[in-house]
């Protein structure tokens, strides 16, 4: 287990991205936004225009502060990763839960959070890696059980009424997982979460309180007598690439901007596979040789090392959240673009050699346990074996662009899921390289072996395991834990209506055709990061605030350098950006009050 506060990989990245040399000042002038003449008198600089950055900027502007909002990407990528998200949010005892008959409480949610996070690194020690993560977790659960929903609803955000049940856990009440459904899908998905804060920031821009600095890559923090007083870096050439596509890194100018506070909201390391492997913990096995990427290329982790060089402390760098159900995108937007299947409970999960996984390695139950189980096989992929009946009801794809019905708020398209497989799923089945479709098990096995080229799947072994599971379907009770889970899901109206196929045999011809899906490791979230107090102030190795420096969002482990501990309950990444961005923005505004 890695316990260092600053992994070598982040330091390496810092060295590789250092910028130097005098460059044309004319290019800088061409890119200057509103109140450029007063840029060095801004009240705050926010680095990163994703969700956390927009929320922090909106809070600062609402308090009357002048803000410079910087990002290395063009304006088309405003909103960052949140725009691409499914829009899932974690609420406790919400109106939607009560409508579905779900009884949830703050105490139950806190029990689930603690059992999932597993905080074990100096919770009671002010300099411990988990000290502030634990405090942030308490505050966040209170927020999720309190004003979070009403705050967002007041901004016009709405949610699909059927609450999803993510990360169902490992089998014990006080262990990992959600005891009840808490995954609230935003009506409009990720763009609808971003929209109200983008509107606030653009209104503040029109009022002269916010200036965007697109294509401004921060290469260092300016410090004066130990206090962070600004940023410096390179102006990148203008780019017209569409949202999410890689932009040029050609430098056309340099800049230095000053303000009493700097708020870093730059995201994690998910697009840099070398950094992911470098910080990969022993507890998850050998790092994958092959991964696909769940975030755009600009999610490069650069600001972690830059903030560390100014005195900030990085904690829990070995904690990360990657998905096991990744598909190679047949129509990629960014390099190595992968899409995650959000599965229901019925598909059978096999390792690369055709051995069925046991509990808790069941679809939708325990992401990181399953990740370790996959890596322990010596292969970096696995298989779903399923049916058309199951994928029609149970497969959803993560991402706003993969859910046009929800993203476009199109009720007719949404209702069409009742009588047909969603079009994005059918497109992946037809065009995606990870799908094998067959009318018989021998044909399916031949297709699986042809796809991987390694001949690991044996027909007789696969048939024996599937038939054994199918025999468990004859009674309403069983010893098969996954079948128990299917029955449990069907007892919850939300799953029965939209997320769980009726119980059936995999080899039932009426449920076919048979489908095998190769599942790849998909990079996604950094759970550790810059350690912050509850005001978002970045702390140093001694536990003291670095004067003038704040952080929020993924770069801060969504709060405190690791609000999730080792694992997530899901629906908590966007929420972590919202909450930590709000906390940091309000604290920075208070610190700059005159």
């Amino acid at each position: 287990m890695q316990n260092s506060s600053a992994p070598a990989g982040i330091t390496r990245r810092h060295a590789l991205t250092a910028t130097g040399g005098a460059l044309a000042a004319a290019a800088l002038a061409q890119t200057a936004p509103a109140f450029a003449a007063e840029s060095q008198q801004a009240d705050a600089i926010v680095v990163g225009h994703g969700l956390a950055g927009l929320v922090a900027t909106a809070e600062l502007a609402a308090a009357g502060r002048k803000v410079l909002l910087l990002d290395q990407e063009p304006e088309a990528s405003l909103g960052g990763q949140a725009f691409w998200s499914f829009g899932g949010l974690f609420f406790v005892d919400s109106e939607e839960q009560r409508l579905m008959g779900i009884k949830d409480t703050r105490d139950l949610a806190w029990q689930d959070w603690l059992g999932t996070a597993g905080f074990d690194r100096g919770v009671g020690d002010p300099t411990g890696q988990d000290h502030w993560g634990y405090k942030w977790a308490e505050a966040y659960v209170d927020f999720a059980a309190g004003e979070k929903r009403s705050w967002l609803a007041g901004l016009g955000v709405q949610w699909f009424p059927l609450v999803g049940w993510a990360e169902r856990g490992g089998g014990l009440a006080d262990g990992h997982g959600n005891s009840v459904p808490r995954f609230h899908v935003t009506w409009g998905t990720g763009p609808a979460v971003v929209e109200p804060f983008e509107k606030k920031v653009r209104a503040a821009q029109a009022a002269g309180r916010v200036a965007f600095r697109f294509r401004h890559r921060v290469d260092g923090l300016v410090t004066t007598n130990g206090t962070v007083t600004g940023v410096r870096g390179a102006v990148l050439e203008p780019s017209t690439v569409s949202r999410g596509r890689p932009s040029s890194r050609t430098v056309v100018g340099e800049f230095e901007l000053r303000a009493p506070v700097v708020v870093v909201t730059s995201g994690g390391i998910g697009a840099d596979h070398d950094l992911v492997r470098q910080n990969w913990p022993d507890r998850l096995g050998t790092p994958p040789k092959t991964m696909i990427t769940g975030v755009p290329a600009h999610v490069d982790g650069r600001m972690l090392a830059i903030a560390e060089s100014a005195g900030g402390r990085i904690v829990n760098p070995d904690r990360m959240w990657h998905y096991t159900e990744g598909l190679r995108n047949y129509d990629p937007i960014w390099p190595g673009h992968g899409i995650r299947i959000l599965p229901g409970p019925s598909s059978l999960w096999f390792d690369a050699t055709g051995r069925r996984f046991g509990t808790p390695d069941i679809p939708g139950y325990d992401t990181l346990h399953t990740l370790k189980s996959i890596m322990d096989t010596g292969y970096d992929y696995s298989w779903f074996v399923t049916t058309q009946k199951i994928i029609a009801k149970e497969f959803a794809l993560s991402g706003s662009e993969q859910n046009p019905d929800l993203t476009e708020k199109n009720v007719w398209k949404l209702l069409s899921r009742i009588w047909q497989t969603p079009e994005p799923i059918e497109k992946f089945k037809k065009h995606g390289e990870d799908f094998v479709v067959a009318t018989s098990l021998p044909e399916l096995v031949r297709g699986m072996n042809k796809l991987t080229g390694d001949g690991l799947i044996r027909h007789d072994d696969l048939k024996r395991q599937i038939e054994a599971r199918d025999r468990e379907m004859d009674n309403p009770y069983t010893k098969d834990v996954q079948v128990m889970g299917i029955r449990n899901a069907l007892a919850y109206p939300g799953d029965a209506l939209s997320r769980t196929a009726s119980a059936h045999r995999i080899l039932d011809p009426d449920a076919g055709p048979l489908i095998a899906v190769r599942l790849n490791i998909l990079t996604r979230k950094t759970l550790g990061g810059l350690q912050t107090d509850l005001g978002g102030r970045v702390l140093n190795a001694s536990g003291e605030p670095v004067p003038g420096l704040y952080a929020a969002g993924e770069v801060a482990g969504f709060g405190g350098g690791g609000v999730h501990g080792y694992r997530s309950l899901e629906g908590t990444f966007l929420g972590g950006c919202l909450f930590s961005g709000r906390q940091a923005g309000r604290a920075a505004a208070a610190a700059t009050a005159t």
Side-chain angles (χ1 to χ4, degrees):
M1 182 178 295
Q2 301 175 17
N3 287 300
S4 62
S5 62
I10 292 174
T11 303
R12 175 190 63 79
R13 187 68 180 181
H14 184 212
L16 287 174
T17 54
T19 303
L23 297 160
L28 176 60
Q30 292 173 3
T31 61
F35 72 84
E38 301 178 19
S39 61
Q40 293 191 19
Q41 285 75 50
D43 298 308
I45 294 170
V46 177
V47 182
H49 66 200
L51 181 59
L54 288 173
V55 174
T57 300
E59 292 291 341
L60 282 156
R65 308 294 179 265
K66 285 190 172 182
V67 187
L68 291 171
L69 179 55
L70 281 62
D71 201 282
Q72 64 184 342
E73 293 307 298
E75 185 172 3
S77 287
L78 188 69
Q81 294 178 65
F83 182 92
W84 297 107
S85 74
F86 196 35
L89 290 170
F90 176 96
F91 295 128
V92 178
D93 191 28
S94 68
E95 292 182 18
E96 291 76 16
Q97 285 177 303
R98 293 192 292 272
L99 179 66
M100 298 306 298
I102 299 164
K103 297 178 181 179
D104 198 8
T105 65
R106 186 268 180 199
D107 289 344
L108 182 61
W110 182 233
Q111 171 183 297
D112 289 346
W113 196 288
L114 288 180
T116 295
F119 295 116
D120 61 2
R121 296 176 177 175
V123 170
D125 179 358
T127 64
Q129 292 191 80
D130 277 340
H131 180 76
W132 286 102
Y134 182 96
K135 288 181 177 294
W136 272 91
E138 282 189 298
Y140 181 73
V141 171
D142 288 342
F143 178 59
E147 66 174 310
K148 179 182 176 183
R149 188 189 180 284
S150 60
W151 174 58
L152 291 171
L155 297 174
V157 184
Q158 298 176 306
W159 297 275
F160 187 59
L162 301 183
V163 183
W165 197 352
E167 287 295 299
R168 305 184 188 205
L172 295 176
D174 60 353
H176 169 57
N178 286 291
S179 297
V180 297
R182 297 190 177 106
F183 191 83
H184 296 66
V185 177
T186 301
W187 186 234
T189 67
V193 179
V194 172
E195 181 181 12
F197 301 100
E198 180 180 346
K199 284 183 176 179
K200 284 177 174 286
V201 171
R202 289 198 183 277
Q205 178 193 27
R209 292 193 301 276
V210 171
F212 291 107
R213 292 287 179 100
F214 303 112
R215 305 297 284 155
H216 278 55
R217 185 187 71 198
V218 173
D219 295 326
L221 296 175
V222 177
T223 58
T224 304
N225 298 323
T227 297
V228 173
T229 55
V231 297
R232 58 176 177 78
V235 180
L236 306 179
E237 68 176 352
S239 174
T240 59
V241 299
S242 58
R243 180 185 293 274
R245 296 195 181 277
S247 62
S248 164
R249 289 297 178 261
T250 300
V251 175
V252 297
E254 59 184 9
F255 68 91
E256 183 170 313
L257 302 168
R258 292 182 179 267
V261 297
V262 173
V263 185
V264 177
T265 61
S266 55
I269 67 173
D272 189 326
H273 290 192
D274 289 339
L275 275 181
V276 169
R277 293 189 186 96
Q278 191 166 323
N279 293 290
W280 192 273
D282 293 340
R283 66 180 177 277
L284 293 181
T286 303
K289 293 180 180 178
T290 302
M291 295 181 283
I292 56 178
T293 310
V295 294
H298 61 258
V299 185
D300 55 17
R302 295 181 68 256
M303 286 304 300
L304 281 161
I306 290 169
E308 183 186 35
S309 69
R313 182 191 185 196
I314 297 170
V315 296
N316 303 309
D318 60 318
R319 292 180 182 168
M320 50 188 70
W321 189 256
H322 306 304
Y323 290 112
T324 51
E325 312 99 330
L327 302 174
R328 290 173 172 83
N329 196 340
Y330 66 89
D331 187 19
I333 296 171
W334 52 79
H337 188 176
I339 297 293
R340 183 204 175 197
I341 298 171
L342 284 73
S346 302
S347 298
L348 297 189
W349 205 334
F350 296 88
D351 70 16
T353 68
R355 181 183 61 85
R356 186 182 173 197
F357 288 115
T359 183
D361 303 326
I362 299 169
Y365 275 68
D366 193 331
T367 294
L368 290 195
H369 191 283
T370 306
L371 177 57
K372 182 181 187 305
S373 295
I374 292 170
M375 299 318 303
D376 285 348
T377 68
Y379 298 90
D380 47 23
Y381 71 93
S382 60
W383 292 99
F384 276 167
V385 173
T386 189
T387 67
Q388 180 67 32
K389 183 175 181 178
I390 290 172
I391 74 164
K393 189 75 173 283
E394 297 192 7
F395 274 28
L397 299 176
S398 180
S400 54
E401 82 283 12
Q402 299 298 331
N403 295 275
D405 49 357
L406 290 165
T407 301
E408 297 166 11
K409 303 181 181 180
N410 187 314
V411 176
W412 177 251
K413 282 185 179 180
L414 182 65
L415 289 174
S416 72
R417 294 192 185 208
I418 297 172
W419 63 82
Q420 66 182 13
T421 307
E423 184 180 8
I425 298 291
E426 283 297 322
K427 285 184 174 180
F428 264 90
K429 194 179 80 172
K430 181 178 180 180
H431 303 295
E433 64 180 272
D434 295 307
F435 279 76
V436 179
V437 182
T439 57
S440 68
L441 189 60
E443 181 187 358
L444 189 77
V445 171
R446 287 194 296 270
M448 294 166 74
N449 285 329
K450 181 179 178 180
L451 178 60
T452 60
D454 50 25
L456 294 173
I457 306 298
R458 297 179 180 179
H459 171 269
D460 290 348
D461 285 346
L462 200 65
K463 180 182 179 183
R464 173 184 55 78
Q465 294 173 90
I466 295 173
E467 288 181 339
R469 177 269 189 195
D470 280 358
R471 292 187 189 101
E472 300 290 315
M473 306 305 295
D474 290 340
N475 295 289
Y477 43 85
T478 178
K479 72 175 183 180
D480 188 294
V481 173
Q482 183 172 3
V483 177
M484 292 180 195
I486 295 169
R487 309 274 190 211
N488 194 31
L490 290 170
Y492 165 52
D495 275 351
L497 286 169
S498 68
R499 292 288 288 143
T500 306
S502 59
H504 65 277
R505 293 171 178 254
I506 297 294
L507 296 180
D508 180 355
D510 293 337
L514 288 169
I515 299 167
V517 188
R518 179 178 59 184
L519 306 173
N520 308 276
I521 306 303
L522 175 71
T523 64
R524 189 60 65 86
K525 296 298 182 185
T526 309
L527 298 188
L530 295 168
Q531 192 170 41
T532 60
D533 65 12
L534 287 175
R537 296 184 299 177
V538 175
L539 306 177
N540 62 23
S542 300
E544 299 296 324
V546 177
L549 185 59
Y550 295 73
E554 190 173 352
V555 74
F558 302 94
V563 67
H564 296 97
Y566 287 95
R567 292 179 294 189
S568 167
L569 287 171
E570 289 284 26
T572 55
F573 298 126
L574 289 179
C577 290
L578 292 166
F579 185 53
S580 63
R582 191 174 87 151
Q583 290 289 96
R586 291 180 177 183
T592 52
T594 56

